[in-house]
Each structure stands twice: as C-alpha cells, then as structure tokens.
Amino acid sequence: MNDAIRSQFPILHQQINQRPLVYLDNAATVQKPLAVLEASETYYKEVNANIHRGVHYLSRKATDAHEQARDRIARYLNAPASHEVIFTSGTTDSINLVAATLADSGKIQQGDRILISTLEHHSNIVPWQMLCKKTGAQLDIIPINDAGEWDLSEIDSLLTERTKLVAVNHVSNALGTINPIHALITKAKALGALTLIDGAQSAPHMAIDVQALGCDFYTFSGHKTYAPTGIGILWGRSEVLEMLPPWRGGGEMIKEVTFEHTTYNDLPFKYEAGTPNIEGGIALAAALDWMDQLGLDTIAQHEDSLLQQATQALLDIDGLRLYGTATNKASVVSFAIEGVHHYDLGTLIDQMGVGVRTGHHCCQPLMQRFGITGTTRASFAVYNTSEEIELLVNAVKKASMMLR
Ligand code: PLP
C-alpha cells in the first residue's frame, strides 16, 4: 500500500546529499498528493475568476466550486451548517479572528479569566494575551505532568464561573499528546464558558466531529492536511459567530455601504473580507476527499505503528530522553540527547538525508516547563515508511556518537 501512496507524492522521490529524502517534518507541514496539485492546476487552467458578484460564466463556476468546497469541509467536520465554516489563511488567522472579535464584543470584562494549557503553540497563547491586554482579563494555565499530559488535579480552581473561554489544542505539536478535550469542553460548557479547539494537529490525523465534541470553535490549517499553504478554517457555532462583531472590513463582508454607515453581511461572508484564497479552498476540499478515500482510520493506524516503532528504537540510544510519553499520542516523537545540541543533531542528520525539526516548536513556555530550549522532533504522515524510521534511528545514533 505504501508504494501506491508514495507514488502520489512527486516531491518525495528526490535525493538529498546523494541519499533518498526522508521527510519527517510533517507536523510543520505535509507534502501534497497529485490529487491536490491537480485540483489547484485545474482551477487555474479551467475555472479561475473572482467569485460571488460576477454574472459571467467563469465567475459562476468559480463561485460554485468555492461554495462546494465549503460544503465539503463542513461535512469533514460534521458541522451542522456550511455557513459556520469560515475560510481563513490558517489556524493562526482563525484564532486571531476569535480573539479580536471577542475583545471587541464587550463580552470579556476586567477580571474575567481565559483558560489555556502549558502545551499550547504560540498561536494559541499570544492572541489571548492580546485580548487580555485589551480587556483586563487574565490567563490561567492548565499545568502538565512529566509525561506531557494535562494535570487536571486543580482544575476546579482553574475553571470556574469567571472563566469566559477555554482555548486548548487537541493534539500537541511539540509532544504529540492527544488531550482529553471532550471532558474539558463538557465541564467548560456547564460553567457557561466558550470553548475553542486548536485542531492544527488533530485534523490531519483523526476524524473530527464538532457536534460530538460540543465545542464552540474548531480551527485547522490546510497545509497540515495535505492542502496548500495560505488556507485554513475557522468553524464556529452559528449563535456564537452571530453574537460576535465583524473583524476585517472590506468587500464581501458588507450588505450596504454609505459614507455614513455600513451594514454587515450574513455568515460566513461577514468574516471573509476581500478576495479569498479560492484555489486554496478548492484544493483543501480535494485534500479532504483524498484523506477520506484513504480512510482516516487507515491513516491513524499506519502513523501509530510508525510512532511505536520510532519510540522503541530511539529509546535504545544511549543518553536519549523522550519528551512526551503520554499514553494517548499521535504522530510525533520529540527527544533530546544528553550533551548534544538539537541544532547540531538536526543539521548532521539532514546531511544524511533525514529532515526533522529542531528548536522550541513555537512552544517556548512548554520548553520552559521542561527546563530546555528545544528538542529534536520527528513527525509522521501516512506516506512515511518503516524503512524511513530505521534511517532516522540510524542517523540519530551515528550523529550522536559523532557529537558526544
Ligand atoms: N497550533 C498548533 C498546535 C500548531 O501545530 C500550529 C502549527 O504548527 C499552529 C497552531 C499554527 O498553524 P499555522 O502556522 O498553520 O497558522
């Protein structure tokens, strides 16, 4: 099966330093299958036009394709309605939309609390700090244990009636922990708090059902789900999106404009000022079709077997410490080797053809929690193979012997 999958990714068939490329930086961005590349190309060869207000043939065709893509994404998330799916440029953009509009809504007051966790990416920290600065609210942080799992022993003092929003990731990009979000959402809802799930690392690896989760917002990025960069999704519950004010001003998000006054468009257009990434949305729908055809369970099972193999083999390396040993993990193995700087390790194994990420992974507070500046992180996608895990492990062994 793996050859059939790999043959759909032209970029993987190249040599780096006279060795086959081993691409293990999938949590940062994944490679794109032919089905997605062809969807982008077909769009530009046969459809390209600006959408929504054009009466001509191509404009209507592009509008239909754009709105069908929205419907497809709604189905992927099991969203109750397509107008709850907002096209953004990515997870960061989606979270900033919610943070900025919540701040402007007047619903967050001095003394209110926003709850996040130690595991968050900077994208799910900084926008809330900005909101706090504007409103006088304060951040509370769910701590973690040494395995990289939420420590919920003090949750009753962290999540209270004063909490207005809980914003957490579903899967940690730095450690791979799959967080028990459903229980937290349920508890938050019972206390009247809104809930936002950063799904940047879950949408690529597992089936998502926003209705079953019960959250108010779910965000993800196209480029991590086999689609191009520059496209992402904010799903929001209608009642909540309707309660929030508009964000960016411009074309498309208006109903009527005079020099004195503007009235705003309905969802989803209220949050889609300007010409959107039309091709990106269509390619994202193609990527979700591609993932569904392969089967989300098949993807998850294959990635899990690579994760188990990598975890066991890496632990055999002298002086290697794993960061993130949660019982429930997805697709990421993060580690450090005693006496070896992660940049040196990453640079040396790159020379052996193995591409991994090193550093803080946009999670500086998490690194501070472990008292380190960064890790080396290998992250897996469905096209990775067991042989590639062996190449990773051998490269890490060799490099660590050279560097220690
Ligand atoms: N949240 C998590 C958990 C991530 O892993 C990332 C990207 O790595 C982001 C947010 C930000 O995503 P983007 O850069 O696509 O906006």
Side-chain angles (χ1 to χ4, degrees), residues 155-169:
I155 193 68
D156 287 337
S157 58
L158 286 171
L159 177 52
T160 69
E161 275 95 12
R162 287 194 303 166
T163 309
K164 290 293 175 287
L165 175 86
V166 176
V168 287
N169 65 37

Side-chain angles (χ1 to χ4, degrees), residues 2 9 21 49 65 77 88 103 129 133 147 154 162 177 179 186 189 224 238-239 271 290 341 387 404:
N2 222 270
F9 290 83
L21 164 68
L77 298 175
T88 65
Q129 289 175 329
K133 206 163 176 198
E154 305 290 324
R162 287 194 303 166
T177 313
N179 294 306
T186 309
K189 263 169 83 167
K224 295 183 199 284
S238 295
E239 315 86 86
Y271 289 115
W290 182 84
H341 196 279
E387 293 75 44
R404 290 178 88 195

